[in-house]
Amino acid sequence: MRFLAITLIVHGPDPVTGRKKSTTDRFREVVENAVFAEQLGFDGFGVGERHELPFISSSPPVVLSHIAALTSTIRLFTAVTTLSLLDPVRAYEDYATLDHLSGGRLELIIGKGNGAAQRELFHVTPEDQWERNAESYELFRRIWREERVTATPRFRPELREAQVWPRPLQQPIRVWHGSATSRESVDLAARYGDPLFSANVTNPIEPYAELVRYYRQRWVEYGHDPAAAVVGAGTAGYYAAVNSQDAIAAYRPVFEGQLAFQKRLGLDPVFPTLEDFVERSSALIGSPQQIIEKVHRYHEALGHQVIHLHADAGGLSDLQHRRSLELFQSDIAPVLRREIPDPPWQWDPAASPPVLAALKE
């Protein structure tokens, strides 16, 4: 099994203290967390893309490029790239450039995105967002693989023998399809033989497991080898301590702060108590052994080989958060690496070490 740390770069008051960091400090924190994730041995670090408050993750290529300059082995993920909002030509240019600057460590997780504010910002409607997502991905995919592209898309000007530069380092880049609720994104992943990343965050497991089953069904119907289907999955929260009582006690103020925020927004919580959240959500809160057992329970339903943890403290103190991540890598990750298989591909950078060194000079 492989492990990612991700951030959506939420920029709001701390759910426990109510304090809000400056924008500069919040970006600095993200970069420091990425460097720390590499030092701990995480396999990937992901940065989300959102174009509405309370997020400041509107430019993941820029953030990931900065992280690429400070790291050397950790793979760099988008989580997710909202192709339904983007010009696929421009997105290709940004990410092909980042692929070179990172030494071939880039992986994309694409998705339509969500939120009315960002749809309005980019003049995307609920009715056309799925078509935009599919069209943008198909064109992006062609540009990455073909030196000249002719196409007449619906949502951007046509291309006639278009050459788009730079050509990428990785041939081809790996693209995951992020999915929370939709069969459309799942079907797109299965059609092209791409891996699926289930959000697996907001609800209990069943709706996500249903989508993963549909993905595997469509994968076979499109003629792919069932053994080659790869699934990743998110987690709704993480905090580990040597014993479960300490983990629950430390996480309770975080959960109560999040619950209060949902109530201020007029939302009915899916998990009304911390105990319910720990039991029925994908959150990994408890002792190392409890967390290992819960990942196995989810693996029985999803068959996932990659999992993400939140890179941000999110209400925990920096010391609590870092010690918890250290415990994950020392006591949890080694067991899961042994017991759950990796995806069937290498995770090494595409560039050789001398090339990586030259990029950093």
Side-chain angles (χ1 to χ4, degrees), residues 83 88 129-141 152-156 188:
L83 277 182
Q129 60 187 348
W130 296 112
E131 293 179 52
R132 286 177 177 272
N133 186 60
E135 178 183 283
S136 291
Y137 172 61
E138 289 160 359
L139 190 53
F140 181 96
R141 191 175 190 275
T152 308
R154 176 183 171 192
F155 298 106
R156 63 145 286 130
L188 190 66

Side-chain angles (χ1 to χ4, degrees), residues 97-173:
T97 301
L98 172 54
D99 194 41
H100 282 279
L101 293 175
S102 67
R105 289 185 281 145
L106 177 65
E107 301 203 22
L108 296 183
I109 306 176
I110 69 160
K112 72 165 182 63
N114 52 34
Q118 64 180 12
R119 284 199 304 266
E120 292 172 4
L121 185 64
F122 289 90
H123 297 279
V124 173
T125 70
E127 292 74 28
D128 68 19
Q129 60 187 348
W130 296 112
E131 293 179 52
R132 286 177 177 272
N133 186 60
E135 178 183 283
S136 291
Y137 172 61
E138 289 160 359
L139 190 53
F140 181 96
R141 191 175 190 275
R142 287 190 59 194
I143 296 169
W144 202 278
R145 287 164 170 76
E146 302 172 23
E147 291 197 6
R148 295 177 182 271
V149 175
T150 297
T152 308
R154 176 183 171 192
F155 298 106
R156 63 145 286 130
E158 68 176 337
L159 299 175
R160 294 184 180 179
E161 289 293 302
Q163 294 180 284
V164 190
W165 304 100
R167 301 308 303 155
L169 178 57
Q170 293 184 87
Q171 291 284 358
I173 187 176

Side-chain angles (χ1 to χ4, degrees), residues 243-284:
N243 64 70
S244 61
Q245 294 87 348
D246 289 342
I248 293 293
Y251 203 84
R252 189 173 298 279
V254 177
F255 178 81
E256 290 176 351
Q258 294 169 344
L259 197 65
F261 178 71
Q262 292 176 39
K263 289 180 178 179
R264 286 196 298 271
L265 295 179
L267 302 175
D268 291 328
V270 177
F271 308 104
T273 67
L274 176 58
E275 288 70 22
D276 187 44
F277 182 65
V278 171
E279 175 63 28
R280 294 195 305 121
S281 83
S282 61
L284 303 176

Side-chain angles (χ1 to χ4, degrees), residues 68-91:
L70 299 174
T71 58
S72 59
T73 58
I74 196 166
R75 294 195 70 80
L76 306 174
F77 283 73
T78 63
V80 300
T81 295
T82 53
L83 277 182
S84 65
L85 309 179
L86 306 178
D87 178 351
V89 175
R90 191 71 186 93

